[in-house]
């Protein structure tokens, strides 16, 4: 089965994705991780995206879609995709539909981890200390949250037409969120 973990930055998508990878023998498809890897390796793409990433701005669809494509078409990962941080806009959602269609796949579950702005700010402040991400300072967090509301949140309306979205209170403890997801998946 293929799963989308949806929600604002700091909702816990990455944490739950890592858990699901273990539980379901799946593959975490985190565009954020892929982009950070490009920066770390100082690739041509890495050099192009570093300022956008640091400022909390979106990286272009062209770059993100090209990094994503191989994973969706990878036969080993087929039906085991756990999307974390993609799609983040309507055009990305449409691109994902196309890629999945072309590889005879579909999305089976969408989990919407809903978290309020105050909780996100508190969580990301803590994450900055632990992970030292350059896009986790207060101004950038607020900008990323606004982008989420304006551009990413509407993706839910797009999916609500054809898929069932399972909304989960993302302010709960990590284990409680995991249990809710397990209950929906029946695992
Ligand atoms: P994340 O690790 O998912 O919080 O992503 C960190 C940063 O990577 C974002 O703030 C964007 O700059 C970039 N990024 C990650 N995923 C995407 C995406 N699907 N579209 C555009 N930019 C992205």
């Amino acid at each position: 089965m293929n799963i989308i973990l949806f929600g604002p930055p700091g909702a816990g998508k990455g944490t739950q994705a890592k858990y699901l990878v273990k539980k379901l023998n799946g593959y975490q498809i985190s565009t954020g991780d892929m982009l950070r890897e490009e920066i770390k390796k100082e690739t041509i793409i890495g050099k192009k995206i570093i300022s956008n990433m640091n400022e909390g701005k979106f990286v272009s669809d062209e770059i993100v879609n090209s990094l994503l494509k191989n994973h969706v078409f990878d036969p080993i990962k087929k039906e085991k995709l756990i999307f974390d941080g993609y799609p983040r806009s309507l055009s990305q959602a449409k691109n994902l539909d196309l890629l999945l269609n072309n590889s005879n796949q579909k999305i089976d579950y969408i989990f919407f981890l809903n978290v309020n702005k105050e909780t996100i700010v508190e969580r990301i402040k803590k994450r900055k200390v632990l992970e030292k991400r350059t896009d986790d300072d207060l101004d950038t967090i607020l900008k990323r949250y606004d982008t989420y509301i304006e551009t990413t949140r509407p993706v839910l309306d797009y999916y609500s037409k054809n898929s069932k979205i399972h909304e989960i209170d993302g302010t709960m403890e990590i284990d409680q969120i995991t249990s809710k997801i397990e209950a929906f998946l029946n695992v």
Side-chain angles (χ1 to χ4, degrees):
M1 71 179 102
N2 293 321
I3 296 171
I4 293 179
L5 292 164
F6 192 89
K13 302 185 293 294
T15 305
Q16 296 301 327
K18 285 183 179 65
Y19 161 77
L20 287 171
V21 163
K22 277 200 197 132
K23 183 87 185 175
L24 305 172
N25 254 328
Y27 294 88
Q28 181 181 5
I29 310 297
S30 161
T31 42
D33 283 352
M34 290 174 206
L35 294 165
R36 279 184 287 277
E37 198 57 29
E38 295 291 326
I39 293 178
K40 206 168 121 194
K41 288 186 183 156
E42 300 183 347
T43 63
I44 296 171
I45 289 181
K47 285 176 188 151
K48 266 193 200 163
I49 63 176
I50 191 161
S51 60
N52 270 16
M53 289 273 287
N54 285 342
E55 290 166 26
K57 292 181 187 156
F58 276 8
V59 170
S60 74
D61 278 357
E62 192 192 355
I63 291 177
V64 177
N65 292 346
S66 72
L67 291 174
L68 180 90
K69 197 173 171 183
N70 291 339
H71 296 273
V72 176
F73 282 100
D74 184 342
I76 294 172
K77 297 181 183 172
K78 191 169 180 176
E79 308 282 7
K80 292 179 178 180
L81 304 167
I82 298 157
F83 294 97
D84 152 21
Y86 191 98
R88 259 177 155 94
S89 66
L90 216 50
S91 71
Q92 292 185 3
K94 288 178 180 169
N95 176 65
L96 182 59
D97 270 355
L98 205 69
L99 295 181
L100 290 172
N101 256 324
N102 289 344
S103 57
N104 288 317
Q105 300 186 76
K106 61 176 173 45
I107 294 296
D108 300 287
Y109 288 91
I110 300 172
F111 295 112
F112 170 32
L113 308 184
N114 198 0
V115 184
N116 59 54
K117 191 174 178 176
E118 292 69 34
T119 307
I120 287 166
V121 169
E122 285 315 308
R123 279 188 187 169
I124 295 192
K125 275 186 192 164
K126 280 187 201 150
R127 184 168 78 183
K128 183 167 176 70
V129 178
L130 290 171
E131 296 181 18
K132 299 184 175 57
R133 271 177 58 165
T134 46
D135 58 349
D136 274 348
D137 65 79
L138 187 59
D139 270 1
T140 315
I141 297 166
L142 297 174
K143 226 186 295 161
R144 283 162 63 201
Y145 184 78
D146 288 345
T147 310
Y148 163 76
I149 293 294
E150 277 165 32
T151 311
T152 307
R153 186 79 168 62
V155 173
L156 275 186
D157 300 330
Y158 172 79
Y159 282 119
S160 64
K161 288 180 194 127
N162 298 313
S163 321
K164 180 139 180 48
I165 297 161
H166 302 285
E167 181 170 341
I168 296 173
D169 176 3
T171 61
M172 294 188 304
E173 295 298 319
I174 292 171
D175 290 358
Q176 290 175 301
I177 298 174
T178 304
S179 300
K180 289 263 178 203
I181 294 177
E182 281 177 339
F184 283 122
L185 294 175
N186 221 350
V187 291

